[in-house]
Amino acid sequence: QVQLRESGGGSVQSGGSLRLSCTASGYTYSTYCKGWFRQAPGKEREAVATIDSDGSTTYADSVKGRFTISEDNAKTTLYLQMNSLKPEDTAMYYCAAGHRYCEAGAGEGLYNYWGQGTQVTVSS
């Protein structure tokens, strides 16, 4: 089992920055694809960024050039650096991890573990 816990959310003005962290505990060596997702009120949860065990990354078009996903060398902490934040980035942000390598278009079914979420609110 793997437990995930997000932190770093908060309220920020448009144009500001936040860094989210996701700390993993348990059998973390068994996880490969990791990702950040978000869900805004009244909307479906969407993938924001993913990182595979080889360090390759993908980003949603809406965050490219503004957000950066990374993890520490021990692969126990996942980060999401968010710059130039916009009101439309307001959402609950979740981290997720899976036992498989990342696959394009795989969706949420790829992930075995989820955190409880951290709220990000961007005001104009």
Side-chain angles (χ1 to χ4, degrees):
Q1 287 292 323
V2 175
Q3 295 79 41
L4 303 176
R5 175 169 291 185
E6 303 94 339
S7 61
S11 297
V12 65
Q13 289 192 329
S14 182
S17 298
L18 284 174
R19 188 175 82 156
L20 305 183
S21 298
C22 172
T23 303
S25 60
Y27 294 102
T28 58
Y29 64 87
S30 67
T31 56
Y32 295 94
C33 187
K34 302 179 182 72
W36 287 98
F37 291 74
R38 67 185 181 187
Q39 186 169 23
K43 294 187 177 181
E44 292 187 356
R45 188 158 59 186
E46 62 174 353
V48 175
T50 68
I51 186 166
D52 214 334
S53 56
D54 64 356
S56 57
T57 59
T58 66
Y59 295 93
D61 288 342
S62 59
V63 306
K64 280 181 182 177
R66 300 189 297 122
F67 290 10
T68 302
I69 188 172
S70 63
E71 60 181 339
D72 66 345
N73 289 336
K75 300 187 184 298
T76 57
T77 304
L78 184 69
Y79 301 102
L80 185 68
Q81 178 66 44
M82 304 185 296
N83 299 328
S84 302
L85 283 162
K86 305 175 181 180
E88 50 263 45
D89 294 318
T90 295
M92 185 72 78
Y93 284 71
Y94 301 89
C95 62
H99 292 307
R100 293 156 54 188
Y101 294 107
C102 295
E103 299 173 20
E108 294 189 11
L110 181 69
Y111 301 90
N112 302 92
Y113 308 103
W114 293 83
Q116 293 299 306
T118 186
Q119 178 67 38
V120 171
T121 302
V122 184
S123 58
S124 57

